[in-house]
Amino acid sequence: MARLIIMGPPGSGKGTQAEYIARHFGVPAISTGELFRAHVRDGTELGAEAGRYMDHGEFVPDHVTTAMLRGRLENDDAGAGFLLDGYPRTVAQIGALDELLAARQQALEVVLALTVSDDELTERMLRRAREQGRSDDTEAVIQRRLELYRDETQPVITAYSQRGILLAVDGSGDRDAITASAIAAARSRLSGG
């Protein structure tokens, strides 16, 4: 059983790594972004509420995100564990996740934090913007996104570091090497090493 979180700034490859790592441990990768899109697509009440915020480029409120996650964790495939991508994003969400897991008599085991220099992140996102024709991803916009990420997630990283379950993984370089490092770090912690 593995109950994991993956964190990383925009452009760190977090979504890609989440899929590989989750597959290795035989657990679902649960992305809040995918949850939002699925609820909106399916026309659920939570999706309608989330959509109102997403349409204005605002963060979906914690209570909506947590309610979606609660429902997702009740699916059979999450019984043996999960890898969360995009949750918790705030200290309040840490508390909500703790409560969800306590109700299931479970605890979070590992938080993987991908670390990549701002220069490399900016280069990656500018390259992606050129390849995908995204003129809105300018260097100034990218810097603002990185600043918001740091402001928003630093308290979350600090909280998990204080619990002793945060593992920093170098997110630079070859994708396969990053995956191998992340899996090795998580496996070591899960086996009590």
Side-chain angles (χ1 to χ4, degrees):
M1 187 174 298
R3 289 178 298 276
L4 313 151
I5 291 173
I6 189 167
M7 300 178 70
S12 66
K14 177 174 59 74
T16 300
Q17 291 300 328
E19 291 297 326
Y20 290 129
I21 295 165
R23 190 175 310 126
H24 173 82
F25 287 106
V27 297
I30 301 173
S31 157
T32 51
E34 289 176 16
L35 282 178
F36 296 155
R37 289 185 289 278
H39 276 268
V40 169
R41 181 187 64 240
D42 295 345
T44 69
E45 189 176 319
L46 288 170
E49 189 170 353
R52 287 193 292 274
Y53 291 91
M54 293 164 63
D55 289 345
H56 293 95
E58 297 175 26
F59 287 128
V60 176
D62 287 351
H63 73 277
V64 175
T65 308
T66 301
M68 288 181 181
L69 180 63
R70 179 182 298 112
R72 178 63 183 88
L73 289 178
E74 290 172 359
N75 291 0
D76 289 344
D77 69 337
F82 52 78
L83 187 147
L84 299 181
D85 171 3
Y87 191 99
R89 194 178 289 266
T90 65
V91 172
Q93 288 181 355
I94 291 174
L97 179 59
D98 287 345
E99 289 176 18
L100 286 174
L101 293 176
R104 299 164 57 105
Q105 299 180 337
Q106 297 177 339
L108 189 60
E109 297 169 289
V110 176
V111 178
L112 298 167
L114 296 176
T115 60
V116 184
S117 73
D118 281 3
D119 288 344
E120 184 171 344
L121 292 168
T122 301
E123 182 182 316
R124 287 180 186 181
M125 287 189 284
L126 287 172
R127 183 174 54 246
R128 185 173 65 194
R130 284 190 304 273
E131 291 168 356
Q132 298 175 0
R134 294 168 54 170
S135 58
D136 57 327
D137 267 355
T138 63
E139 191 159 348
V141 168
I142 290 167
Q143 292 305 318
R144 179 65 182 142
R145 288 175 63 201
L146 294 174
E147 184 179 305
L148 285 172
Y149 172 81
R150 275 191 296 276
D151 290 348
E152 165 184 295
T153 59
Q154 192 54 54
V156 175
I157 288 172
T158 300
Y160 284 131
S161 178
Q162 290 170 343
R163 291 185 186 188
I165 61 172
L166 183 80
L167 301 174
V169 177
D170 184 354
S172 302
D174 177 69
R175 180 173 50 204
D176 293 340
I178 296 165
T179 303
S181 293
I183 288 170
R187 188 184 301 127
S188 172
R189 180 61 50 90
L190 291 169
S191 67

